[in-house]
mmCIF file of all heavy atoms in Angstrom:
data_model
loop_
_atom_site.group_PDB
_atom_site.id
_atom_site.type_symbol
_atom_site.label_atom_id
_atom_site.label_comp_id
_atom_site.label_asym_id
_atom_site.label_seq_id
_atom_site.Cartn_x
_atom_site.Cartn_y
_atom_site.Cartn_z
ATOM 1 N N THR A 78 118.038 39.734 98.494
ATOM 2 C CA THR A 78 118.724 39.694 97.200
ATOM 3 C C THR A 78 120.006 38.874 97.290
ATOM 4 O O THR A 78 120.303 38.037 96.426
ATOM 5 C CB THR A 78 119.042 41.120 96.734
ATOM 6 O OG1 THR A 78 117.826 41.866 96.629
ATOM 7 C CG2 THR A 78 119.754 41.119 95.392
ATOM 8 N N GLU A 79 120.757 39.097 98.351
ATOM 9 C CA GLU A 79 122.004 38.362 98.560
ATOM 10 C C GLU A 79 121.754 36.862 98.636
ATOM 11 O O GLU A 79 122.537 36.057 98.118
ATOM 12 C CB GLU A 79 122.663 38.846 99.853
ATOM 13 C CG GLU A 79 123.950 38.136 100.196
ATOM 14 C CD GLU A 79 124.460 38.518 101.570
ATOM 15 O OE1 GLU A 79 123.714 38.314 102.549
ATOM 16 O OE2 GLU A 79 125.605 38.997 101.674
ATOM 17 N N THR A 80 120.651 36.471 99.257
ATOM 18 C CA THR A 80 120.332 35.055 99.392
ATOM 19 C C THR A 80 120.146 34.405 98.029
ATOM 20 O O THR A 80 120.590 33.271 97.802
ATOM 21 C CB THR A 80 119.067 34.879 100.251
ATOM 22 O OG1 THR A 80 119.341 35.355 101.570
ATOM 23 C CG2 THR A 80 118.632 33.431 100.325
ATOM 24 N N VAL A 81 119.497 35.116 97.101
ATOM 25 C CA VAL A 81 119.318 34.574 95.750
ATOM 26 C C VAL A 81 120.678 34.351 95.095
ATOM 27 O O VAL A 81 120.937 33.286 94.515
ATOM 28 C CB VAL A 81 118.455 35.508 94.889
ATOM 29 C CG1 VAL A 81 118.338 34.962 93.467
ATOM 30 C CG2 VAL A 81 117.071 35.684 95.506
ATOM 31 N N ILE A 82 121.565 35.332 95.188
ATOM 32 C CA ILE A 82 122.882 35.211 94.530
ATOM 33 C C ILE A 82 123.730 34.139 95.204
ATOM 34 O O ILE A 82 124.547 33.484 94.551
ATOM 35 C CB ILE A 82 123.601 36.580 94.533
ATOM 36 C CG1 ILE A 82 122.707 37.660 93.925
ATOM 37 C CG2 ILE A 82 124.904 36.484 93.746
ATOM 38 C CD1 ILE A 82 122.226 37.373 92.524
ATOM 39 N N LYS A 83 123.524 33.914 96.492
ATOM 40 C CA LYS A 83 124.290 32.880 97.207
ATOM 41 C C LYS A 83 123.953 31.470 96.734
ATOM 42 O O LYS A 83 124.685 30.524 97.059
ATOM 43 C CB LYS A 83 124.051 32.986 98.713
ATOM 44 C CG LYS A 83 124.858 34.078 99.407
ATOM 45 C CD LYS A 83 124.566 34.085 100.901
ATOM 46 C CE LYS A 83 125.443 35.081 101.637
ATOM 47 N NZ LYS A 83 125.121 35.148 103.085
ATOM 48 N N THR A 84 122.879 31.310 95.994
ATOM 49 C CA THR A 84 122.577 29.981 95.447
ATOM 50 C C THR A 84 123.415 29.670 94.213
ATOM 51 O O THR A 84 123.396 28.536 93.730
ATOM 52 C CB THR A 84 121.078 29.875 95.074
ATOM 53 O OG1 THR A 84 120.772 30.790 94.013
ATOM 54 C CG2 THR A 84 120.194 30.162 96.283
ATOM 55 N N LEU A 85 124.142 30.689 93.699
ATOM 56 C CA LEU A 85 124.989 30.505 92.521
ATOM 57 C C LEU A 85 126.395 30.080 92.917
ATOM 58 O O LEU A 85 126.755 30.078 94.101
ATOM 59 C CB LEU A 85 125.029 31.809 91.712
ATOM 60 C CG LEU A 85 123.669 32.366 91.282
ATOM 61 C CD1 LEU A 85 123.851 33.685 90.558
ATOM 62 C CD2 LEU A 85 122.910 31.363 90.426
ATOM 63 N N ARG A 86 127.191 29.745 91.917
ATOM 64 C CA ARG A 86 128.553 29.278 92.146
ATOM 65 C C ARG A 86 129.520 30.035 91.235
ATOM 66 O O ARG A 86 129.115 30.574 90.190
ATOM 67 C CB ARG A 86 128.655 27.771 91.873
ATOM 68 C CG ARG A 86 127.815 26.918 92.833
ATOM 69 C CD ARG A 86 128.369 27.010 94.256
ATOM 70 N NE ARG A 86 127.574 26.236 95.210
ATOM 71 C CZ ARG A 86 126.602 26.752 95.957
ATOM 72 N NH1 ARG A 86 126.275 28.040 95.834
ATOM 73 N NH2 ARG A 86 125.948 25.999 96.813
ATOM 74 N N PRO A 87 130.819 30.065 91.580
ATOM 75 C CA PRO A 87 131.796 30.724 90.714
ATOM 76 C C PRO A 87 131.725 30.196 89.283
ATOM 77 O O PRO A 87 131.622 28.986 89.058
ATOM 78 C CB PRO A 87 133.135 30.370 91.377
ATOM 79 C CG PRO A 87 132.795 30.181 92.827
ATOM 80 C CD PRO A 87 131.434 29.548 92.829
ATOM 81 N N GLY A 88 131.730 31.131 88.345
ATOM 82 C CA GLY A 88 131.598 30.776 86.942
ATOM 83 C C GLY A 88 130.190 30.961 86.407
ATOM 84 O O GLY A 88 129.993 31.026 85.184
ATOM 85 N N ASP A 89 129.229 31.039 87.304
ATOM 86 C CA ASP A 89 127.856 31.285 86.859
ATOM 87 C C ASP A 89 127.712 32.730 86.404
ATOM 88 O O ASP A 89 128.435 33.622 86.853
ATOM 89 C CB ASP A 89 126.860 31.020 87.989
ATOM 90 C CG ASP A 89 126.731 29.542 88.322
ATOM 91 O OD1 ASP A 89 127.204 28.716 87.523
ATOM 92 O OD2 ASP A 89 126.163 29.218 89.388
ATOM 93 N N GLU A 90 126.775 32.940 85.493
ATOM 94 C CA GLU A 90 126.539 34.282 84.969
ATOM 95 C C GLU A 90 125.108 34.725 85.260
ATOM 96 O O GLU A 90 124.178 33.916 85.263
ATOM 97 C CB GLU A 90 126.811 34.323 83.460
ATOM 98 C CG GLU A 90 128.267 34.015 83.115
ATOM 99 C CD GLU A 90 128.576 34.187 81.638
ATOM 100 O OE1 GLU A 90 127.701 34.706 80.903
ATOM 101 O OE2 GLU A 90 129.686 33.804 81.226
ATOM 102 N N VAL A 91 124.962 36.032 85.486
ATOM 103 C CA VAL A 91 123.668 36.646 85.761
ATOM 104 C C VAL A 91 123.450 37.767 84.757
ATOM 105 O O VAL A 91 124.345 38.586 84.525
ATOM 106 C CB VAL A 91 123.604 37.225 87.197
ATOM 107 C CG1 VAL A 91 122.249 37.907 87.437
ATOM 108 C CG2 VAL A 91 123.858 36.139 88.232
ATOM 109 N N ILE A 92 122.273 37.787 84.143
ATOM 110 C CA ILE A 92 121.874 38.918 83.306
ATOM 111 C C ILE A 92 120.929 39.773 84.122
ATOM 112 O O ILE A 92 119.963 39.267 84.689
ATOM 113 C CB ILE A 92 121.188 38.455 82.005
ATOM 114 C CG1 ILE A 92 122.143 37.586 81.184
ATOM 115 C CG2 ILE A 92 120.719 39.653 81.184
ATOM 116 C CD1 ILE A 92 121.481 36.955 79.966
ATOM 117 N N PHE A 105 126.023 43.336 93.437
ATOM 118 C CA PHE A 105 126.443 42.456 92.350
ATOM 119 C C PHE A 105 127.898 42.690 91.965
ATOM 120 O O PHE A 105 128.686 41.748 91.862
ATOM 121 C CB PHE A 105 125.556 42.671 91.117
ATOM 122 C CG PHE A 105 124.111 42.288 91.300
ATOM 123 C CD1 PHE A 105 123.155 42.694 90.381
ATOM 124 C CD2 PHE A 105 123.696 41.525 92.383
ATOM 125 C CE1 PHE A 105 121.820 42.339 90.529
ATOM 126 C CE2 PHE A 105 122.358 41.170 92.556
ATOM 127 C CZ PHE A 105 121.421 41.580 91.620
ATOM 128 N N PHE A 109 129.854 40.314 94.827
ATOM 129 C CA PHE A 109 129.779 38.963 94.270
ATOM 130 C C PHE A 109 130.648 38.760 93.043
ATOM 131 O O PHE A 109 131.018 37.614 92.742
ATOM 132 C CB PHE A 109 128.323 38.592 93.981
ATOM 133 C CG PHE A 109 127.588 38.163 95.221
ATOM 134 C CD1 PHE A 109 126.668 39.007 95.815
ATOM 135 C CD2 PHE A 109 127.843 36.930 95.809
ATOM 136 C CE1 PHE A 109 126.002 38.616 96.973
ATOM 137 C CE2 PHE A 109 127.185 36.533 96.956
ATOM 138 C CZ PHE A 109 126.260 37.379 97.543
ATOM 139 N N PHE A 112 133.761 36.948 93.819
ATOM 140 C CA PHE A 112 133.660 35.514 94.065
ATOM 141 C C PHE A 112 133.451 34.723 92.769
ATOM 142 O O PHE A 112 133.056 33.559 92.800
ATOM 143 C CB PHE A 112 132.519 35.228 95.049
ATOM 144 C CG PHE A 112 132.782 35.751 96.433
ATOM 145 C CD1 PHE A 112 132.302 36.996 96.815
ATOM 146 C CD2 PHE A 112 133.518 35.016 97.347
ATOM 147 C CE1 PHE A 112 132.549 37.493 98.087
ATOM 148 C CE2 PHE A 112 133.767 35.497 98.619
ATOM 149 C CZ PHE A 112 133.292 36.742 98.991
ATOM 150 N N GLY A 113 133.680 35.392 91.636
ATOM 151 C CA GLY A 113 133.676 34.680 90.365
ATOM 152 C C GLY A 113 132.336 34.563 89.685
ATOM 153 O O GLY A 113 132.176 33.751 88.777
ATOM 154 N N ILE A 114 131.363 35.369 90.108
ATOM 155 C CA ILE A 114 130.065 35.397 89.429
ATOM 156 C C ILE A 114 130.062 36.589 88.479
ATOM 157 O O ILE A 114 130.401 37.710 88.863
ATOM 158 C CB ILE A 114 128.907 35.486 90.442
ATOM 159 C CG1 ILE A 114 128.919 34.244 91.344
ATOM 160 C CG2 ILE A 114 127.569 35.611 89.721
ATOM 161 C CD1 ILE A 114 127.921 34.298 92.474
ATOM 162 N N LYS A 115 129.671 36.358 87.251
ATOM 163 C CA LYS A 115 129.697 37.401 86.223
ATOM 164 C C LYS A 115 128.315 38.031 86.074
ATOM 165 O O LYS A 115 127.310 37.329 86.017
ATOM 166 C CB LYS A 115 130.145 36.824 84.879
ATOM 167 C CG LYS A 115 130.197 37.852 83.750
ATOM 168 C CD LYS A 115 130.601 37.209 82.430
ATOM 169 C CE LYS A 115 130.576 38.226 81.290
ATOM 170 N NZ LYS A 115 130.940 37.623 79.990
ATOM 171 N N PHE A 116 128.287 39.352 86.000
ATOM 172 C CA PHE A 116 127.032 40.089 85.835
ATOM 173 C C PHE A 116 127.084 40.891 84.539
ATOM 174 O O PHE A 116 128.053 41.618 84.289
ATOM 175 C CB PHE A 116 126.792 41.029 87.016
ATOM 176 C CG PHE A 116 126.563 40.302 88.320
ATOM 177 C CD1 PHE A 116 127.635 39.920 89.117
ATOM 178 C CD2 PHE A 116 125.279 39.987 88.738
ATOM 179 C CE1 PHE A 116 127.433 39.235 90.311
ATOM 180 C CE2 PHE A 116 125.064 39.307 89.925
ATOM 181 C CZ PHE A 116 126.142 38.931 90.710
ATOM 182 N N GLU A 134 126.202 29.346 80.516
ATOM 183 C CA GLU A 134 126.661 29.710 81.863
ATOM 184 C C GLU A 134 125.655 30.600 82.596
ATOM 185 O O GLU A 134 125.799 30.836 83.788
ATOM 186 C CB GLU A 134 128.010 30.434 81.784
ATOM 187 C CG GLU A 134 129.094 29.678 81.039
ATOM 188 C CD GLU A 134 129.356 28.310 81.627
ATOM 189 O OE1 GLU A 134 129.216 28.163 82.865
ATOM 190 O OE2 GLU A 134 129.693 27.375 80.864
ATOM 191 N N THR A 135 124.655 31.109 81.874
ATOM 192 C CA THR A 135 123.656 31.972 82.496
ATOM 193 C C THR A 135 122.737 31.130 83.380
ATOM 194 O O THR A 135 122.025 30.250 82.889
ATOM 195 C CB THR A 135 122.811 32.703 81.433
ATOM 196 O OG1 THR A 135 123.673 33.430 80.556
ATOM 197 C CG2 THR A 135 121.850 33.665 82.103
ATOM 198 N N LYS A 136 122.748 31.416 84.671
ATOM 199 C CA LYS A 136 121.929 30.664 85.620
ATOM 200 C C LYS A 136 120.758 31.479 86.163
ATOM 201 O O LYS A 136 119.809 30.904 86.691
ATOM 202 C CB LYS A 136 122.792 30.188 86.799
ATOM 203 C CG LYS A 136 124.010 29.370 86.391
ATOM 204 C CD LYS A 136 123.629 28.147 85.582
ATOM 205 C CE LYS A 136 124.883 27.337 85.196
ATOM 206 N NZ LYS A 136 124.556 26.208 84.292
ATOM 207 N N LEU A 137 120.840 32.806 86.027
ATOM 208 C CA LEU A 137 119.803 33.652 86.620
ATOM 209 C C LEU A 137 119.625 34.915 85.790
ATOM 210 O O LEU A 137 120.597 35.503 85.314
ATOM 211 C CB LEU A 137 120.203 34.046 88.048
ATOM 212 C CG LEU A 137 119.258 34.990 88.802
ATOM 213 C CD1 LEU A 137 117.961 34.276 89.167
ATOM 214 C CD2 LEU A 137 119.932 35.545 90.058
ATOM 215 N N ILE A 138 118.362 35.306 85.614
ATOM 216 C CA ILE A 138 118.052 36.620 85.060
ATOM 217 C C ILE A 138 117.369 37.419 86.151
ATOM 218 O O ILE A 138 116.337 36.992 86.690
ATOM 219 C CB ILE A 138 117.162 36.518 83.806
ATOM 220 C CG1 ILE A 138 117.894 35.733 82.722
ATOM 221 C CG2 ILE A 138 116.792 37.907 83.302
ATOM 222 C CD1 ILE A 138 117.112 35.593 81.424
ATOM 223 N N TRP A 139 117.968 38.542 86.501
ATOM 224 C CA TRP A 139 117.454 39.388 87.584
ATOM 225 C C TRP A 139 116.699 40.566 86.954
ATOM 226 O O TRP A 139 117.284 41.399 86.280
ATOM 227 C CB TRP A 139 118.597 39.899 88.457
ATOM 228 C CG TRP A 139 118.112 40.711 89.631
ATOM 229 C CD1 TRP A 139 117.947 42.061 89.683
ATOM 230 C CD2 TRP A 139 117.724 40.215 90.912
ATOM 231 N NE1 TRP A 139 117.466 42.443 90.911
ATOM 232 C CE2 TRP A 139 117.319 41.334 91.687
ATOM 233 C CE3 TRP A 139 117.675 38.947 91.491
ATOM 234 C CZ2 TRP A 139 116.876 41.209 93.012
ATOM 235 C CZ3 TRP A 139 117.238 38.818 92.804
ATOM 236 C CH2 TRP A 139 116.855 39.940 93.544
ATOM 237 N N LYS A 166 116.979 30.529 85.685
ATOM 238 C CA LYS A 166 115.887 30.956 86.544
ATOM 239 C C LYS A 166 115.679 32.463 86.400
ATOM 240 O O LYS A 166 116.578 33.195 85.988
ATOM 241 C CB LYS A 166 116.175 30.616 87.997
ATOM 242 C CG LYS A 166 116.436 29.145 88.274
ATOM 243 C CD LYS A 166 115.234 28.284 87.999
ATOM 244 C CE LYS A 166 115.488 26.827 88.403
ATOM 245 N NZ LYS A 166 114.350 25.953 88.030
ATOM 246 N N ILE A 188 111.123 33.309 91.039
ATOM 247 C CA ILE A 188 111.354 33.920 92.353
ATOM 248 C C ILE A 188 110.810 35.341 92.325
ATOM 249 O O ILE A 188 110.985 36.059 91.333
ATOM 250 C CB ILE A 188 112.867 33.961 92.679
ATOM 251 C CG1 ILE A 188 113.475 32.554 92.671
ATOM 252 C CG2 ILE A 188 113.121 34.668 94.013
ATOM 253 C CD1 ILE A 188 114.987 32.552 92.510
ATOM 254 N N ALA A 218 116.650 25.822 99.451
ATOM 255 C CA ALA A 218 117.936 26.522 99.391
ATOM 256 C C ALA A 218 117.861 27.849 100.135
ATOM 257 O O ALA A 218 118.780 28.203 100.895
ATOM 258 C CB ALA A 218 118.334 26.747 97.939
ATOM 259 N N PHE A 219 116.766 28.579 99.936
ATOM 260 C CA PHE A 219 116.598 29.849 100.642
ATOM 261 C C PHE A 219 116.529 29.621 102.153
ATOM 262 O O PHE A 219 117.108 30.374 102.939
ATOM 263 C CB PHE A 219 115.326 30.557 100.184
ATOM 264 C CG PHE A 219 115.382 31.096 98.776
ATOM 265 C CD1 PHE A 219 114.208 31.469 98.122
ATOM 266 C CD2 PHE A 219 116.586 31.230 98.100
ATOM 267 C CE1 PHE A 219 114.243 31.967 96.834
ATOM 268 C CE2 PHE A 219 116.631 31.728 96.808
ATOM 269 C CZ PHE A 219 115.452 32.094 96.171
ATOM 270 N N ILE A 222 120.014 28.920 103.594
ATOM 271 C CA ILE A 222 120.826 30.141 103.685
ATOM 272 C C ILE A 222 120.275 31.069 104.760
ATOM 273 O O ILE A 222 121.037 31.664 105.536
ATOM 274 C CB ILE A 222 120.879 30.847 102.318
ATOM 275 C CG1 ILE A 222 121.592 29.958 101.291
ATOM 276 C CG2 ILE A 222 121.579 32.203 102.425
ATOM 277 C CD1 ILE A 222 121.477 30.442 99.859
#
Side-chain angles (χ1 to χ4, degrees):
T78 301
E79 179 188 58
T80 296
V81 177
I82 306 303
K83 280 181 175 177
T84 65
L85 304 177
R86 296 293 179 265
D89 290 346
E90 297 186 9
V91 178
I92 300 173
F105 295 166
F109 280 105
F112 293 95
I114 298 174
K115 180 182 177 181
F116 294 87
E134 306 303 327
T135 304
K136 305 303 180 186
L137 177 70
I138 299 181
W139 183 268
K166 303 296 185 185
I188 301 160
F219 290 164
I222 296 169

